[in-house]
Short mmCIF file of all heavy atoms in Angstrom, two decimals:
data_model
loop_
_atom_site.label_atom_id
_atom_site.label_comp_id
_atom_site.label_asym_id
_atom_site.label_seq_id
_atom_site.Cartn_x
_atom_site.Cartn_y
_atom_site.Cartn_z
N ALA M 191 6.60 19.08 -13.73
CA ALA M 191 7.19 18.88 -15.10
C ALA M 191 8.63 19.11 -15.16
O ALA M 191 9.14 20.14 -15.81
CB ALA M 191 6.37 19.67 -16.07
N PRO M 192 9.49 18.38 -14.56
CA PRO M 192 10.94 18.60 -14.49
C PRO M 192 11.54 18.38 -15.95
O PRO M 192 11.08 17.61 -16.71
CB PRO M 192 11.45 17.63 -13.52
CG PRO M 192 10.51 16.46 -13.57
CD PRO M 192 9.12 17.14 -13.76
N ASP M 193 12.52 19.21 -16.20
CA ASP M 193 13.25 19.11 -17.53
C ASP M 193 14.50 18.23 -17.26
O ASP M 193 15.18 18.39 -16.24
CB ASP M 193 13.69 20.55 -18.05
CG ASP M 193 12.54 21.37 -18.41
OD1 ASP M 193 11.59 20.86 -18.97
OD2 ASP M 193 12.71 22.53 -18.34
N VAL M 194 14.71 17.38 -18.16
CA VAL M 194 15.95 16.58 -18.19
C VAL M 194 17.00 17.20 -18.87
O VAL M 194 16.88 17.67 -19.95
CB VAL M 194 15.65 15.09 -18.85
CG1 VAL M 194 16.96 14.26 -18.87
CG2 VAL M 194 14.43 14.44 -18.23
N PRO M 195 18.15 17.42 -18.15
CA PRO M 195 19.30 18.08 -18.82
C PRO M 195 19.77 17.37 -20.05
O PRO M 195 19.63 16.15 -20.22
CB PRO M 195 20.45 18.00 -17.85
CG PRO M 195 19.71 17.76 -16.46
CD PRO M 195 18.50 17.04 -16.80
N LEU M 196 20.13 18.11 -21.11
CA LEU M 196 20.51 17.56 -22.41
C LEU M 196 21.60 16.43 -22.23
O LEU M 196 21.48 15.46 -22.94
CB LEU M 196 21.03 18.71 -23.30
CG LEU M 196 21.30 18.27 -24.79
CD1 LEU M 196 20.03 17.86 -25.38
CD2 LEU M 196 21.90 19.54 -25.55
N SER M 197 22.52 16.64 -21.33
CA SER M 197 23.60 15.61 -21.15
C SER M 197 23.04 14.32 -20.51
O SER M 197 23.76 13.31 -20.70
CB SER M 197 24.62 16.15 -20.20
OG SER M 197 24.15 16.39 -18.96
N LEU M 198 21.88 14.31 -20.03
CA LEU M 198 21.33 13.04 -19.51
C LEU M 198 20.21 12.37 -20.29
O LEU M 198 19.69 11.38 -19.98
CB LEU M 198 20.81 13.33 -18.07
CG LEU M 198 21.82 13.71 -16.99
CD1 LEU M 198 21.20 14.05 -15.70
CD2 LEU M 198 22.96 12.68 -16.99
N GLN M 199 19.84 13.05 -21.35
CA GLN M 199 18.70 12.61 -22.19
C GLN M 199 19.04 11.24 -22.78
O GLN M 199 18.06 10.51 -23.15
CB GLN M 199 18.29 13.60 -23.23
CG GLN M 199 17.54 14.75 -22.65
CD GLN M 199 17.16 15.85 -23.67
OE1 GLN M 199 17.44 15.71 -24.79
NE2 GLN M 199 16.44 16.83 -23.21
N ASN M 200 20.21 10.94 -23.18
CA ASN M 200 20.43 9.52 -23.66
C ASN M 200 20.33 8.42 -22.66
O ASN M 200 20.09 7.28 -23.00
CB ASN M 200 21.90 9.52 -24.10
CG ASN M 200 22.14 10.38 -25.44
OD1 ASN M 200 21.13 10.78 -26.16
ND2 ASN M 200 23.39 10.72 -25.67
N TYR M 201 20.42 8.85 -21.40
CA TYR M 201 20.37 7.88 -20.37
C TYR M 201 18.97 7.61 -19.79
O TYR M 201 18.74 6.52 -19.12
CB TYR M 201 21.37 8.15 -19.23
CG TYR M 201 22.84 8.42 -19.68
CD1 TYR M 201 23.25 9.65 -19.91
CD2 TYR M 201 23.62 7.28 -19.98
CE1 TYR M 201 24.56 9.84 -20.39
CE2 TYR M 201 24.82 7.46 -20.61
CZ TYR M 201 25.31 8.74 -20.70
OH TYR M 201 26.53 8.96 -21.14
N LEU M 202 18.14 8.55 -19.86
CA LEU M 202 16.81 8.43 -19.29
C LEU M 202 15.94 7.23 -19.79
O LEU M 202 15.55 6.52 -19.05
CB LEU M 202 15.98 9.73 -19.47
CG LEU M 202 14.62 9.71 -18.78
CD1 LEU M 202 14.69 9.59 -17.31
CD2 LEU M 202 13.88 11.04 -19.16
N PRO M 203 15.92 7.02 -21.10
CA PRO M 203 15.17 5.80 -21.64
C PRO M 203 15.64 4.49 -21.04
O PRO M 203 14.92 3.67 -20.77
CB PRO M 203 15.25 5.90 -23.10
CG PRO M 203 15.65 7.24 -23.44
CD PRO M 203 16.31 7.81 -22.24
N ILE M 204 17.11 4.49 -21.04
CA ILE M 204 17.63 3.22 -20.55
C ILE M 204 17.33 3.03 -19.10
O ILE M 204 17.01 1.89 -18.68
CB ILE M 204 19.18 3.19 -20.84
CG1 ILE M 204 19.48 3.53 -22.35
CG2 ILE M 204 19.87 2.01 -20.31
CD1 ILE M 204 18.92 2.40 -23.18
N ALA M 205 17.42 4.08 -18.30
CA ALA M 205 17.08 3.94 -16.85
C ALA M 205 15.73 3.58 -16.72
O ALA M 205 15.36 2.75 -15.72
CB ALA M 205 17.42 5.34 -16.20
N VAL M 206 14.73 4.13 -17.52
CA VAL M 206 13.29 3.75 -17.32
C VAL M 206 13.12 2.20 -17.59
O VAL M 206 12.49 1.51 -16.93
CB VAL M 206 12.45 4.61 -18.14
CG1 VAL M 206 10.98 4.05 -18.28
CG2 VAL M 206 12.38 6.05 -17.74
N VAL M 207 13.75 1.73 -18.72
CA VAL M 207 13.65 0.42 -19.07
C VAL M 207 14.17 -0.52 -17.98
O VAL M 207 13.63 -1.61 -17.57
CB VAL M 207 14.20 0.07 -20.43
CG1 VAL M 207 14.23 -1.44 -20.73
CG2 VAL M 207 13.47 0.81 -21.51
N ALA M 208 15.33 -0.17 -17.44
CA ALA M 208 16.04 -0.87 -16.41
C ALA M 208 15.16 -0.83 -15.24
O ALA M 208 15.08 -1.90 -14.43
CB ALA M 208 17.43 -0.31 -16.00
N ALA M 209 14.51 0.19 -14.75
CA ALA M 209 13.75 0.26 -13.67
C ALA M 209 12.46 -0.54 -13.90
O ALA M 209 12.00 -1.22 -12.86
CB ALA M 209 13.29 1.74 -13.34
N LEU M 210 11.82 -0.54 -15.04
CA LEU M 210 10.75 -1.39 -15.33
C LEU M 210 11.06 -2.96 -15.20
O LEU M 210 10.32 -3.73 -14.72
CB LEU M 210 10.18 -1.15 -16.71
CG LEU M 210 9.42 0.16 -16.94
CD1 LEU M 210 9.13 0.39 -18.44
CD2 LEU M 210 8.09 0.16 -16.07
N ASP M 211 12.31 -3.26 -15.59
CA ASP M 211 12.79 -4.64 -15.54
C ASP M 211 12.71 -5.12 -13.97
O ASP M 211 12.20 -6.02 -13.56
CB ASP M 211 14.13 -4.81 -16.06
CG ASP M 211 14.65 -6.17 -15.78
OD1 ASP M 211 13.95 -7.20 -15.93
OD2 ASP M 211 15.82 -6.39 -15.36
N ALA M 212 13.22 -4.17 -13.15
CA ALA M 212 13.26 -4.48 -11.73
C ALA M 212 11.89 -4.55 -11.11
O ALA M 212 11.51 -5.31 -10.29
CB ALA M 212 13.99 -3.47 -11.06
N VAL M 213 10.95 -3.70 -11.57
CA VAL M 213 9.59 -3.68 -11.09
C VAL M 213 8.91 -4.93 -11.44
O VAL M 213 8.18 -5.49 -10.56
CB VAL M 213 8.87 -2.33 -11.59
CG1 VAL M 213 7.39 -2.49 -11.31
CG2 VAL M 213 9.39 -1.11 -10.85
N PHE M 214 8.97 -5.28 -12.67
CA PHE M 214 8.29 -6.56 -13.15
C PHE M 214 8.84 -7.74 -12.44
O PHE M 214 8.24 -8.74 -12.12
CB PHE M 214 8.18 -6.67 -14.66
CG PHE M 214 7.27 -5.80 -15.34
CD1 PHE M 214 7.69 -4.66 -16.06
CD2 PHE M 214 5.96 -5.99 -15.08
CE1 PHE M 214 6.72 -3.93 -16.72
CE2 PHE M 214 4.86 -5.23 -15.61
CZ PHE M 214 5.32 -4.10 -16.51
N GLY M 215 10.20 -7.71 -12.21
CA GLY M 215 10.82 -8.79 -11.57
C GLY M 215 10.43 -8.89 -10.10
O GLY M 215 10.20 -9.96 -9.47
N GLY M 216 10.19 -7.69 -9.47
CA GLY M 216 9.66 -7.64 -8.06
C GLY M 216 8.25 -8.13 -8.02
O GLY M 216 7.90 -8.88 -7.08
N LEU M 217 7.37 -7.88 -8.97
CA LEU M 217 6.08 -8.26 -9.14
C LEU M 217 6.03 -9.73 -9.14
O LEU M 217 5.27 -10.46 -8.54
CB LEU M 217 5.32 -7.55 -10.07
CG LEU M 217 3.80 -7.94 -10.18
CD1 LEU M 217 3.05 -7.63 -8.89
CD2 LEU M 217 3.18 -7.13 -11.35
N ARG M 218 6.96 -10.35 -10.07
CA ARG M 218 6.94 -11.70 -10.19
C ARG M 218 7.31 -12.50 -8.97
O ARG M 218 6.79 -13.45 -8.56
CB ARG M 218 7.93 -12.06 -11.37
CG ARG M 218 7.95 -13.49 -11.58
CD ARG M 218 8.96 -13.84 -12.63
NE ARG M 218 9.07 -15.27 -12.94
CZ ARG M 218 9.91 -15.83 -13.73
NH1 ARG M 218 10.70 -15.10 -14.56
NH2 ARG M 218 9.92 -17.15 -13.95
N ALA M 219 8.38 -11.91 -8.28
CA ALA M 219 8.81 -12.48 -7.05
C ALA M 219 7.69 -12.44 -5.95
O ALA M 219 7.52 -13.42 -5.19
CB ALA M 219 10.03 -11.76 -6.55
N TYR M 220 7.07 -11.33 -6.01
CA TYR M 220 5.84 -11.18 -5.01
C TYR M 220 4.84 -12.34 -5.21
O TYR M 220 4.36 -12.98 -4.27
CB TYR M 220 5.29 -9.79 -5.12
CG TYR M 220 4.07 -9.67 -4.20
CD1 TYR M 220 4.26 -9.45 -2.81
CD2 TYR M 220 2.76 -9.74 -4.69
CE1 TYR M 220 3.02 -9.36 -1.99
CE2 TYR M 220 1.66 -9.50 -3.90
CZ TYR M 220 1.78 -9.36 -2.58
OH TYR M 220 0.73 -9.31 -1.71
N LEU M 221 4.47 -12.46 -6.48
CA LEU M 221 3.44 -13.47 -6.81
C LEU M 221 3.97 -14.93 -6.58
O LEU M 221 3.16 -15.86 -6.30
CB LEU M 221 2.96 -13.33 -8.28
CG LEU M 221 2.16 -12.07 -8.59
CD1 LEU M 221 1.94 -11.96 -10.04
CD2 LEU M 221 0.93 -12.14 -7.80
N ASP M 222 5.28 -15.13 -6.79
CA ASP M 222 5.92 -16.47 -6.40
C ASP M 222 6.08 -16.63 -4.95
O ASP M 222 6.47 -17.70 -4.44
CB ASP M 222 7.23 -16.66 -7.12
CG ASP M 222 6.97 -16.76 -8.65
OD1 ASP M 222 5.87 -17.06 -9.10
OD2 ASP M 222 8.02 -16.56 -9.39
N GLY M 223 5.84 -15.59 -4.14
CA GLY M 223 6.09 -15.72 -2.71
C GLY M 223 7.46 -15.57 -2.16
O GLY M 223 7.76 -16.11 -1.03
N ILE M 224 8.37 -15.06 -2.99
CA ILE M 224 9.80 -14.98 -2.66
C ILE M 224 10.30 -13.48 -2.63
O ILE M 224 11.52 -13.32 -2.67
CB ILE M 224 10.60 -15.97 -3.53
CG1 ILE M 224 10.46 -15.52 -4.99
CG2 ILE M 224 10.39 -17.33 -3.33
CD1 ILE M 224 11.44 -16.08 -5.93
N PHE M 225 9.36 -12.54 -2.57
CA PHE M 225 9.85 -11.12 -2.66
C PHE M 225 10.51 -10.81 -1.39
O PHE M 225 10.10 -11.16 -0.27
CB PHE M 225 8.53 -10.31 -2.75
CG PHE M 225 8.80 -8.80 -2.88
CD1 PHE M 225 9.38 -8.25 -3.98
CD2 PHE M 225 8.71 -8.01 -1.66
CE1 PHE M 225 9.60 -6.97 -4.10
CE2 PHE M 225 9.06 -6.66 -1.79
CZ PHE M 225 9.48 -6.06 -2.92
N ASP M 226 11.61 -10.06 -1.53
CA ASP M 226 12.39 -9.46 -0.41
C ASP M 226 12.70 -8.05 -0.87
O ASP M 226 13.24 -7.71 -1.84
CB ASP M 226 13.72 -10.29 -0.26
CG ASP M 226 14.64 -9.76 0.82
OD1 ASP M 226 14.01 -9.00 1.63
OD2 ASP M 226 15.76 -10.20 0.94
N ASP M 227 12.32 -7.17 0.12
CA ASP M 227 12.38 -5.82 -0.23
C ASP M 227 13.79 -5.24 -0.41
O ASP M 227 14.06 -4.46 -1.29
CB ASP M 227 11.65 -4.95 0.88
CG ASP M 227 12.09 -5.18 2.26
OD1 ASP M 227 12.85 -6.09 2.48
OD2 ASP M 227 11.79 -4.38 3.11
N LYS M 228 14.76 -5.83 0.34
CA LYS M 228 16.12 -5.49 0.17
C LYS M 228 16.72 -5.83 -1.22
O LYS M 228 17.39 -5.17 -1.83
CB LYS M 228 17.07 -6.11 1.32
CG LYS M 228 16.67 -5.54 2.66
CD LYS M 228 17.40 -6.27 3.77
CE LYS M 228 16.89 -5.78 5.12
NZ LYS M 228 17.37 -6.56 6.19
N VAL M 229 16.35 -7.07 -1.63
CA VAL M 229 16.69 -7.53 -2.92
C VAL M 229 16.23 -6.68 -3.96
O VAL M 229 16.86 -6.35 -4.91
CB VAL M 229 16.42 -9.08 -3.09
CG1 VAL M 229 16.70 -9.58 -4.59
CG2 VAL M 229 17.11 -9.97 -2.19
N PHE M 230 14.93 -6.29 -3.80
CA PHE M 230 14.26 -5.35 -4.75
C PHE M 230 14.94 -4.11 -5.00
O PHE M 230 15.23 -3.68 -6.06
CB PHE M 230 12.80 -5.20 -4.50
CG PHE M 230 12.15 -4.21 -5.32
CD1 PHE M 230 11.74 -4.55 -6.64
CD2 PHE M 230 11.83 -2.90 -4.90
CE1 PHE M 230 11.21 -3.63 -7.36
CE2 PHE M 230 11.26 -1.98 -5.75
CZ PHE M 230 10.95 -2.29 -6.95
N VAL M 231 15.31 -3.50 -3.82
CA VAL M 231 15.94 -2.10 -3.87
C VAL M 231 17.37 -2.26 -4.53
O VAL M 231 17.75 -1.44 -5.39
CB VAL M 231 16.04 -1.53 -2.47
CG1 VAL M 231 16.94 -0.37 -2.38
CG2 VAL M 231 14.64 -1.21 -1.89
N VAL M 232 18.09 -3.35 -4.17
CA VAL M 232 19.41 -3.55 -4.71
C VAL M 232 19.30 -3.77 -6.23
O VAL M 232 20.02 -3.19 -7.07
CB VAL M 232 20.14 -4.61 -4.07
CG1 VAL M 232 21.40 -5.16 -4.72
CG2 VAL M 232 20.48 -4.19 -2.66
#
Side-chain angles (χ1 to χ4, degrees):
D193 292 328
V194 178
L196 187 60
S197 61
L198 297 178
Q199 286 182 357
N200 292 341
Y201 303 103
L202 182 62
I204 302 302
V206 169
V207 172
L210 285 173
D211 175 49
V213 168
F214 283 113
L217 181 57
R218 178 182 182 182
Y220 176 77
L221 292 174
D222 289 340
I224 58 171
F225 180 79
D226 181 11
D227 55 347
K228 293 175 187 168
V229 172
F230 173 73
V231 170
V232 169

